[in-house]
C-alpha cells in the first residue's frame, strides 16, 4: 500500500485553496483581475508545459466572462478597491 497523499488529491486541495483565495480577492482586486490571477495560478499548476497557451487562456477567458456579464447580461461584477476604467 502506498503512503501519503496522491497527486490527484494534492491538485484538488490546491485548487480548493485557490478558489478560496479567489473569493477573498473579489472585493479587493475586483472580478476581472481576480479571475485572471486565479486562472493564471490554476493553469500554472495544472498545465505547466504550455506557458503561452496558459497566458492566453488566463487572459481571454476572464475577459470573455467579463464581457458576457457586464455588457450582454448587464449584471454587475465586483469592482474592487481600484475600479477599472471600463
Amino acid at each position: 500500500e502506498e503512503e501519503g497523499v496522491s497527486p490527484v488529491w494534492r491538485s484538488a486541495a490546491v485548487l480548493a485553496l485557490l478558489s478560496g483565495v479567489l473569493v477573498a480577492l473579489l472585493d479587493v482586486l475586483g472580478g476581472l483581475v481576480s479571475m485572471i490571477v486565479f486562472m493564471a495560478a490554476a493553469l500554472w499548476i495544472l498545465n505547466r508545459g504550455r506557458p503561452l497557451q496558459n497566458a492566453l487562456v488566463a487572459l481571454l477567458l476572464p475577459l470573455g466572462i467579463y464581457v458576457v456579464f457586464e455588457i450582454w447580461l448587464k449584471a454587475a461584477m465586483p469592482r474592487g478597491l481600484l475600479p477599472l476604467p471600463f
Side-chain angles (χ1 to χ4, degrees):
E1 302 247 348
E2 294 183 24
E3 293 291 323
V5 179
S6 77
V8 174
W9 285 108
R10 191 173 298 126
S11 295
V14 169
L15 286 176
L17 178 67
L18 284 175
S19 296
V21 170
L22 169 69
V23 170
L25 290 179
L26 279 174
D27 286 333
V28 177
L29 298 178
L32 180 60
V33 177
S34 296
M35 285 189 295
I36 291 172
V37 169
F38 171 78
M39 288 295 298
L43 289 171
W44 180 73
I45 291 168
L46 297 175
N47 193 22
R48 289 188 183 210
R50 299 179 181 214
L52 180 60
Q53 179 185 8
N54 293 347
L56 287 173
V57 170
L59 287 174
L60 294 178
L61 185 63
L63 281 172
I65 292 170
Y66 180 81
V67 166
V68 167
F69 275 85
E70 287 285 335
I71 296 172
W72 188 38
L73 297 175
K74 306 259 189 261
M77 292 182 70
R79 296 277 178 215
L81 295 177
L82 299 172
L84 297 173
F86 48 87

